[in-house]
Amino acid sequence: MTEKQPPTRRTTLTLLGATAGALALTPEAAARPGPDGRRIRVYLGAYTGDDTAHGIGVASADRNTGALRVEAVVPTPDPSFLALSAAGHVLYAVNETAEGRVSAFALNRDGSVRGLLGEVPSGGAHPCHLALHPGGRHLFTANYTSGTVAVVALRPDGAPDGVVQVVRYTGSGPDPERQDGPHAHMVLPDPTGRRLFSVDLGTDTVHVHRFDAGRGLLTDGTEAAMPPGSGPRHLALHPSGRTAYVLGELDSTLTVCSYDASRGVLTPLSTVPILPEDADPIPSTAAEVLVSADGRFVYASNRGHDTVTVLAADGPDGRRLRPVSHHPCGGSSPRHLAFDPAQRLLYAANQDSGTVTALRRDPAGGGLSPAAEPLPYPRAVCVLPAPDVRR
């Protein structure tokens, strides 16, 4: 079911006026230089609760050791997921609140935050993920509690211009506590930009919508049923674009799927556990999945078990997954993972320990090892290294 709404510029401007000037710089942070040839820019998302001074961390990292330092904090409510525009001029965040918002921040050339561009409703309650369309005129949101996916129009400067469409799902799954209804958890355009993957934890479904970039509208497409009770949370594509790995939050598995881009059809092939055989699955839930740029390794995070699983992706298009090793994440409850631009490091945002850890990655064998002291950042849930631009 879809609900079409006209873009509302008035909402953007009203909220902009209400929250402008929210950028907070400590004297120490203001005196620090931005990233140079030795450092890269990294943005941190977090849950803020009642702490109105907390929000997006603007950090930098040593490109060799991975060591992080926070240079500024941009107060904004519950920025639980972040994304950058293709040109790197705008930083987007979902505000995972009951009202649900998307915030956009203008960036300086060094990646520091210049100020708020605008805010608009996200199209549902508790948005937990967003993704940009390759055309740069729209972004998509996944609104967990309301079980909706929305299309948000963007102005030429990257500011959000309002929700143009809301897609509302129906159904439920076998877990009465976590799957009482639809819970959209991730949105991802396919490499062509003509389709959108929408991962629904509540109904064990991955939707593949058609997207009309000219009109900014999603239309009906196909659906792929994941294992009952698996609670699909996130999805990652193999570099070939012909294989997808769907992470089951509730059963700690990865389901390998073939993907036919011409028809927009996702077909499950096999399911692989990501916890060690002797691990107790009850207190652990999976959170994030990544694929290395060479397509040889897949990484998944385990909250509760507090590890990162490394799997080898063998065979044509990486369709045979083989668990290789399990590594401590360096904290508690690794919610999000991200590679540094060179993929020599892997960062983990550990929600319960309030830390962001850097793990050194072995490109040959895929293994991970501690790389730097953890960075304290309360309720960290997202880590976003910017593309590498040497100055």
Coordinates of all heavy atoms in Angstrom, one line a residue, residues 334-384:
P334 N 28.0 -5.0 19.5 CA 28.4 -4.3 18.2 C 27.3 -4.2 17.3 O 26.9 -5.1 16.6 CB 29.5 -5.3 17.7 CG 29.1 -6.6 18.2 CD 28.5 -6.4 19.6
R335 N 26.7 -3.0 17.2 CA 25.5 -2.8 16.4 C 25.8 -2.5 15.0 O 25.1 -2.9 14.1 CB 24.7 -1.6 17.0 CG 23.4 -1.2 16.3 CD 22.7 0.0 16.9 NE 21.6 0.4 16.1 CZ 20.3 0.1 16.3 NH1 20.0 -0.7 17.3 NH2 19.4 0.6 15.6
H336 N 26.9 -1.8 14.7 CA 27.2 -1.4 13.3 C 28.7 -1.6 13.1 O 29.6 -1.5 13.9 CB 26.9 0.1 13.1 CG 27.0 0.5 11.7 ND1 27.9 1.5 11.3 CD2 26.4 0.1 10.6 CE1 27.8 1.7 10.0 NE2 26.9 0.9 9.5
L337 N 29.0 -2.0 11.8 CA 30.4 -2.2 11.3 C 30.6 -1.4 10.1 O 29.7 -1.1 9.3 CB 30.6 -3.7 11.0 CG 30.4 -4.7 12.0 CD1 30.6 -6.1 11.4 CD2 31.3 -4.6 13.2
A338 N 31.9 -0.9 9.9 CA 32.2 -0.2 8.7 C 33.7 -0.4 8.4 O 34.5 -0.4 9.4 CB 31.9 1.3 8.8
F339 N 34.1 -0.5 7.1 CA 35.5 -0.5 6.7 C 36.0 1.0 6.7 O 35.3 1.9 6.4 CB 35.6 -1.1 5.3 CG 35.3 -2.5 5.3 CD1 34.3 -3.0 4.4 CD2 36.0 -3.5 6.0 CE1 34.0 -4.3 4.2 CE2 35.7 -4.8 5.9 CZ 34.7 -5.3 5.0
D340 N 37.3 1.1 6.9 CA 38.0 2.4 6.5 C 38.1 2.4 5.0 O 37.9 1.4 4.3 CB 39.3 2.5 7.2 CG 40.4 1.7 6.6 OD1 40.1 0.5 6.2 OD2 41.5 2.2 6.4
P341 N 38.4 3.5 4.4 CA 38.5 3.6 2.9 C 39.4 2.6 2.3 O 39.1 2.1 1.2 CB 38.9 5.0 2.6 CG 38.5 5.8 3.8 CD 38.6 4.9 5.0
A342 N 40.5 2.3 2.9 CA 41.5 1.3 2.3 C 41.1 -0.1 2.6 O 41.7 -1.1 2.1 CB 42.9 1.6 2.8
Q343 N 40.1 -0.4 3.5 CA 39.7 -1.7 4.0 C 40.8 -2.4 4.7 O 40.8 -3.7 4.7 CB 39.1 -2.5 2.8 CG 37.8 -1.9 2.3 CD 36.9 -2.8 1.6 OE1 37.2 -4.0 1.3 NE2 35.7 -2.3 1.3
R344 N 41.7 -1.7 5.3 CA 42.7 -2.3 6.1 C 42.2 -2.4 7.6 O 42.8 -3.0 8.4 CB 44.0 -1.5 6.1 CG 44.7 -1.6 4.7 CD 46.1 -1.1 4.8 NE 46.1 0.4 5.1 CZ 46.3 1.3 4.2 NH1 46.4 1.0 2.9 NH2 46.2 2.6 4.6
L345 N 41.2 -1.6 7.9 CA 40.6 -1.5 9.2 C 39.1 -1.8 9.2 O 38.5 -1.5 8.1 CB 40.9 -0.2 9.8 CG 42.4 0.2 10.1 CD1 42.4 1.7 10.3 CD2 43.0 -0.5 11.2
L346 N 38.6 -2.3 10.2 CA 37.2 -2.4 10.4 C 36.8 -1.8 11.7 O 37.4 -2.1 12.8 CB 36.7 -3.9 10.4 CG 35.2 -4.2 10.5 CD1 34.9 -5.4 9.6 CD2 34.8 -4.4 11.9
Y347 N 35.8 -0.9 11.7 CA 35.3 -0.2 12.9 C 34.0 -0.9 13.4 O 33.2 -1.2 12.6 CB 35.1 1.3 12.6 CG 36.4 2.1 12.5 CD1 36.8 2.4 11.2 CD2 37.1 2.5 13.6 CE1 38.0 3.1 11.0 CE2 38.3 3.2 13.4 CZ 38.7 3.5 12.1 OH 39.9 4.2 12.0
A348 N 33.9 -0.9 14.7 CA 32.7 -1.5 15.3 C 32.1 -0.4 16.3 O 32.9 0.0 17.2 CB 32.9 -2.8 16.0
A349 N 30.8 -0.1 16.2 CA 30.2 0.8 17.1 C 29.5 -0.1 18.1 O 28.5 -0.8 17.8 CB 29.2 1.7 16.4
N350 N 29.9 0.0 19.4 CA 29.5 -0.9 20.4 C 28.5 -0.2 21.4 O 28.9 0.6 22.2 CB 30.7 -1.5 21.2 CG 31.7 -2.2 20.3 OD1 31.3 -3.2 19.6 ND2 32.9 -1.7 20.3
Q351 N 27.2 -0.5 21.2 CA 26.2 0.3 21.9 C 26.3 0.2 23.4 O 26.3 1.2 24.1 CB 24.8 -0.1 21.4 CG 23.7 0.6 22.0 CD 22.3 0.2 21.5 OE1 22.3 -0.6 20.5 NE2 21.3 0.6 22.1
D352 N 26.4 -1.0 23.9 CA 26.2 -1.1 25.4 C 27.5 -0.7 26.1 O 27.4 -0.2 27.3 CB 25.9 -2.6 25.8 CG 24.5 -3.0 25.4 OD1 23.7 -2.1 25.0 OD2 24.2 -4.2 25.5
S353 N 28.7 -0.9 25.5 CA 29.9 -0.4 26.2 C 30.2 1.1 25.9 O 31.0 1.7 26.5 CB 31.1 -1.2 25.8 OG 31.3 -1.2 24.4
G354 N 29.4 1.7 24.9 CA 29.6 3.1 24.6 C 31.0 3.3 24.0 O 31.7 4.3 24.5
T355 N 31.5 2.5 23.1 CA 32.8 2.6 22.5 C 32.7 2.3 21.0 O 31.8 1.7 20.5 CB 33.8 1.6 23.2 OG1 33.2 0.2 23.0 CG2 34.0 1.8 24.6
V356 N 33.8 2.9 20.4 CA 34.0 2.5 19.0 C 35.4 1.9 18.9 O 36.4 2.6 19.3 CB 33.9 3.8 18.1 CG1 34.1 3.4 16.6 CG2 32.5 4.4 18.2
T357 N 35.5 0.7 18.3 CA 36.8 0.0 18.3 C 37.2 -0.1 16.9 O 36.4 -0.2 15.9 CB 36.7 -1.4 18.9 OG1 35.5 -2.1 18.3 CG2 36.4 -1.3 20.4
A358 N 38.6 -0.1 16.7 CA 39.2 -0.3 15.4 C 39.9 -1.7 15.4 O 40.7 -2.0 16.3 CB 40.2 0.8 15.1
L359 N 39.6 -2.5 14.4 CA 40.2 -3.8 14.3 C 41.0 -3.8 13.0 O 40.5 -3.4 11.9 CB 39.1 -4.9 14.2 CG 38.2 -5.0 15.4 CD1 37.1 -6.0 15.2 CD2 39.0 -5.3 16.7
R360 N 42.2 -4.3 13.0 CA 43.0 -4.4 11.8 C 42.6 -5.7 11.0 O 42.3 -6.7 11.6 CB 44.5 -4.6 12.2 CG 45.4 -4.4 11.0 CD 46.8 -4.2 11.4 NE 47.0 -3.0 12.2 CZ 47.0 -1.8 11.8 NH1 46.9 -1.5 10.5 NH2 47.1 -0.7 12.6
R361 N 42.5 -5.5 9.7 CA 42.0 -6.5 8.8 C 43.1 -7.1 8.0 O 43.9 -6.3 7.4 CB 40.9 -6.0 7.9 CG 40.3 -7.0 6.9 CD 39.2 -6.4 6.1 NE 38.8 -7.3 5.1 CZ 39.3 -7.2 3.8 NH1 40.1 -6.3 3.5 NH2 38.9 -8.1 2.9
D362 N 43.2 -8.4 7.9 CA 44.1 -9.1 7.1 C 43.5 -9.4 5.7 O 42.6 -10.2 5.6 CB 44.5 -10.4 7.7 CG 45.4 -11.3 6.8 OD1 45.9 -10.8 5.8 OD2 45.6 -12.5 7.1
P363 N 43.9 -8.6 4.7 CA 43.2 -8.8 3.4 C 43.4 -10.2 2.8 O 42.5 -10.6 2.0 CB 43.9 -7.7 2.5 CG 44.6 -6.8 3.4 CD 44.9 -7.6 4.6
A364 N 44.4 -10.9 3.1 CA 44.7 -12.2 2.6 C 43.8 -13.3 3.2 O 43.2 -14.1 2.5 CB 46.1 -12.6 2.7
G365 N 43.7 -13.3 4.5 CA 42.9 -14.3 5.2 C 41.6 -13.8 5.8 O 40.8 -14.7 6.3
G366 N 41.4 -12.5 5.8 CA 40.2 -12.0 6.3 C 40.1 -11.7 7.8 O 39.2 -11.1 8.3
G367 N 41.1 -12.2 8.5 CA 41.0 -12.2 10.0 C 41.2 -10.8 10.5 O 41.6 -9.8 9.9
L368 N 40.8 -10.6 11.8 CA 40.8 -9.3 12.5 C 41.6 -9.4 13.8 O 41.7 -10.4 14.4 CB 39.4 -8.9 12.8 CG 38.3 -8.8 11.7 CD1 36.9 -8.6 12.3 CD2 38.7 -7.7 10.7
S369 N 42.2 -8.3 14.1 CA 43.0 -8.2 15.4 C 42.9 -6.7 15.9 O 42.6 -5.8 15.1 CB 44.4 -8.5 15.1 OG 45.0 -7.7 14.2
P370 N 43.0 -6.5 17.2 CA 42.9 -5.1 17.8 C 43.9 -4.2 17.1 O 45.1 -4.6 16.9 CB 43.2 -5.3 19.2 CG 42.9 -6.8 19.5 CD 43.3 -7.5 18.3
A371 N 43.5 -3.0 16.8 CA 44.3 -2.0 16.1 C 44.6 -0.8 16.9 O 45.7 -0.2 16.8 CB 43.7 -1.6 14.8
A372 N 43.7 -0.4 17.8 CA 43.9 0.9 18.6 C 43.0 0.8 19.8 O 42.1 0.0 19.9 CB 43.6 2.1 17.7
E373 N 43.3 1.7 20.8 CA 42.5 1.8 22.0 C 41.1 2.2 21.6 O 40.9 3.1 20.7 CB 43.1 2.8 22.9 CG 44.3 2.3 23.7 CD 44.1 1.1 24.5 OE1 43.1 1.1 25.3 OE2 44.9 0.2 24.4
P374 N 40.1 1.6 22.2 CA 38.7 2.0 21.9 C 38.4 3.5 22.2 O 39.0 4.0 23.2 CB 37.8 1.1 22.8 CG 38.7 -0.1 23.1 CD 40.1 0.5 23.2
L375 N 37.6 4.1 21.4 CA 37.2 5.5 21.7 C 35.9 5.5 22.5 O 34.9 4.9 22.0 CB 36.9 6.2 20.3 CG 36.3 7.6 20.5 CD1 37.4 8.6 20.9 CD2 35.7 8.0 19.2
P376 N 35.9 6.1 23.7 CA 34.6 6.2 24.4 C 33.6 7.1 23.7 O 34.0 8.3 23.3 CB 35.0 6.8 25.7 CG 36.5 6.6 25.8 CD 37.0 6.6 24.4
Y377 N 32.4 6.7 23.4 CA 31.4 7.5 22.8 C 30.1 6.9 23.3 O 29.7 5.9 22.8 CB 31.5 7.6 21.3 CG 30.7 8.8 20.7 CD1 31.3 10.1 20.9 CD2 29.5 8.7 20.1 CE1 30.6 11.2 20.4 CE2 28.8 9.8 19.6 CZ 29.4 11.0 19.8 OH 28.7 12.1 19.3
P378 N 29.4 7.6 24.2 CA 28.2 7.0 24.8 C 27.1 6.5 23.8 O 26.8 7.3 22.9 CB 27.6 8.2 25.7 CG 28.8 9.0 26.0 CD 29.7 8.9 24.7
R379 N 26.7 5.3 24.0 CA 25.6 4.7 23.2 C 25.8 4.8 21.7 O 24.9 5.0 20.9 CB 24.2 5.4 23.6 CG 23.9 5.2 25.0 CD 22.6 5.9 25.4 NE 22.7 7.4 25.3 CZ 23.2 8.2 26.1 NH1 23.8 7.7 27.2 NH2 23.2 9.5 25.9
A380 N 27.1 4.5 21.3 CA 27.5 4.6 19.9 C 26.8 3.4 19.2 O 26.8 2.3 19.6 CB 29.0 4.4 19.8
V381 N 26.1 3.8 18.0 CA 25.4 2.8 17.2 C 25.7 2.8 15.7 O 25.3 2.0 15.0 CB 23.9 2.9 17.5 CG1 23.5 2.5 18.9 CG2 23.4 4.2 17.1
C382 N 26.5 3.8 15.3 CA 26.8 3.9 13.9 C 28.2 4.5 13.7 O 28.5 5.5 14.4 CB 25.8 4.7 13.1 SG 26.0 4.8 11.3
V383 N 29.0 4.0 12.8 CA 30.3 4.6 12.5 C 30.4 4.7 11.0 O 30.2 3.7 10.2 CB 31.4 3.8 13.1 CG1 31.4 2.3 12.7 CG2 32.8 4.4 12.7
L384 N 30.7 5.9 10.5 CA 30.7 6.2 9.1 C 32.0 6.9 8.6 O 32.1 8.1 8.7 CB 29.5 7.1 8.7 CG 29.4 7.6 7.2 CD1 29.3 6.4 6.3 CD2 28.3 8.6 7.1

